[in-house]
Amino acid sequence: MLKIAQEKDLDAVSQFCEGDLSGTKILCYCLAYGFERDFFSCWLNIVGDEIKVVVAKFYDTVTVKIKDSCEAEEIRRFCDMLGYSEILCSESCCETLGYIASKTKKAYVFRGNAGEYTADNLGEEYYKQLYNLISEAIPGSFRADRDSYLSWLSDFTFRKQRGLARSMGISENGILHSCVMTSSETEHSAIISGVVCKSTSRKTGLGKKTVLSAVRELECEGKSVYVIALNESAEGFYVHIGFELSERICFIN
């Protein structure tokens, strides 16, 4: 049986969610928005005093994290009842719940040496460029609505003010040439995304420099760094600069 999470559950949710990509995403939602938002809700499956499953819904995207065994049929029925455009979970979770993934992506965690690379933390004067650069290079990165930029900007700045997101990049004469964001951060983990170079700046080392600058900053704060590779080329890039395969992430439509 699942119950709606409340503020008093935050410490237990934090302990349960730390340590992988799905959990980092869920916990960041909880830290950012609390448990009483129209667009975000979180439910817990507790056996005895131990959390076994956390289900989070952010707008129409559901993220699930499972620990050990659970009442799989009940959890699946619950997710289906919620309705969703997409479910995100680990491959083992997908198999446990009996879903068939629409697509599977590899998630990596950084295990290398970030070196002494430096990039700039981006101020608000670069946000529109960052948004456009990512939108053009990675279609579907942001919610598609009439005011998508303003929606993203509002959410990003909200998270950034709470230390749950950041953006870094390399620019010249006011033009942004490379960028990286964290889409989710917690006390101990971070997920980087939006790794993009302008077409004219590719194969120059700027991408590597920007990513490793972000990794170095995050590691100095004691955070594990995760990323989802969007294609085989990205997989090779991340492995080359020091990431190791962590898990496979399933997307269910």
Side-chain angles (χ1 to χ4, degrees), residues 66 70-77 96-98:
I66 290 176
C70 70
E71 293 293 335
E73 185 177 345
E74 176 189 354
I75 304 304
R76 176 164 178 163
R77 284 201 308 267
T96 297
L97 296 182

Side-chain angles (χ1 to χ4, degrees), residues 133 175-178 197-206:
L133 196 58
I175 303 299
L176 189 62
H177 289 275
S178 66
C197 276
K198 286 179 72 71
S199 57
T200 54
S201 300
R202 290 171 189 161
K203 298 184 179 180
T204 63
L206 287 186

Side-chain angles (χ1 to χ4, degrees), residues 38-234:
D38 293 338
F39 57 84
F40 172 69
S41 297
C42 181
W43 295 267
L44 312 176
N45 175 239
I46 300 176
V47 178
D49 295 325
E50 186 179 2
I51 296 176
K52 292 291 186 179
V53 181
V54 176
V55 178
K57 186 177 184 183
F58 181 69
Y59 288 100
D60 57 356
T61 298
V62 171
T63 306
V64 184
K65 177 177 169 65
I66 290 176
K67 180 180 180 181
D68 303 325
S69 60
C70 70
E71 293 293 335
E73 185 177 345
E74 176 189 354
I75 304 304
R76 176 164 178 163
R77 284 201 308 267
F78 182 79
C79 292
D80 291 343
M81 179 195 70
L82 287 178
Y84 54 85
S85 65
E86 185 173 72
I87 294 178
L88 181 151
C89 63
S90 68
E91 188 173 47
S92 61
C93 175
C94 181
E95 292 173 352
T96 297
L97 296 182
Y99 283 113
I100 297 176
S102 306
K103 58 185 175 182
T104 303
K105 301 291 184 183
K106 293 179 181 177
Y108 293 84
V109 62
F110 190 76
R111 299 295 189 205
N113 182 352
E116 299 295 324
Y117 293 104
T118 57
D120 298 321
N121 282 284
L122 299 178
E124 60 185 13
E125 69 273 19
Y126 285 104
Y127 290 168
K128 185 64 174 180
Q129 286 192 59
L130 180 146
Y131 177 87
N132 289 337
L133 196 58
I134 296 173
S135 295
E136 292 169 6
I138 314 173
S141 294
F142 304 109
R143 296 181 62 82
D145 56 47
R146 185 178 61 183
D147 300 315
S148 58
Y149 171 67
L150 294 179
S151 297
W152 167 79
L153 181 64
S154 175
D155 184 62
F156 174 73
T157 53
F158 182 86
R159 294 195 196 198
K160 184 179 179 181
Q161 289 168 0
R162 287 156 178 77
L164 304 173
R166 72 188 76 191
S167 60
M168 299 180 70
I170 296 174
S171 61
E172 184 178 4
N173 299 323
I175 303 299
L176 189 62
H177 289 275
S178 66
C179 63
V180 61
M181 295 173 52
T182 55
S183 56
S184 301
E185 290 192 40
T186 67
E187 182 180 359
H188 301 295
S189 305
I191 303 171
I192 63 172
S193 61
V195 178
V196 177
C197 276
K198 286 179 72 71
S199 57
T200 54
S201 300
R202 290 171 189 161
K203 298 184 179 180
T204 63
L206 287 186
K208 175 181 177 180
K209 180 177 179 180
T210 306
V211 172
L212 291 182
S213 296
V215 169
R216 181 167 176 261
E217 185 170 283
L218 291 161
E219 286 196 323
C220 285
E221 297 172 13
K223 300 184 180 186
S224 298
V225 185
Y226 299 95
V227 64
I228 296 177
L230 300 181
N231 51 49
E232 290 186 5
S233 176

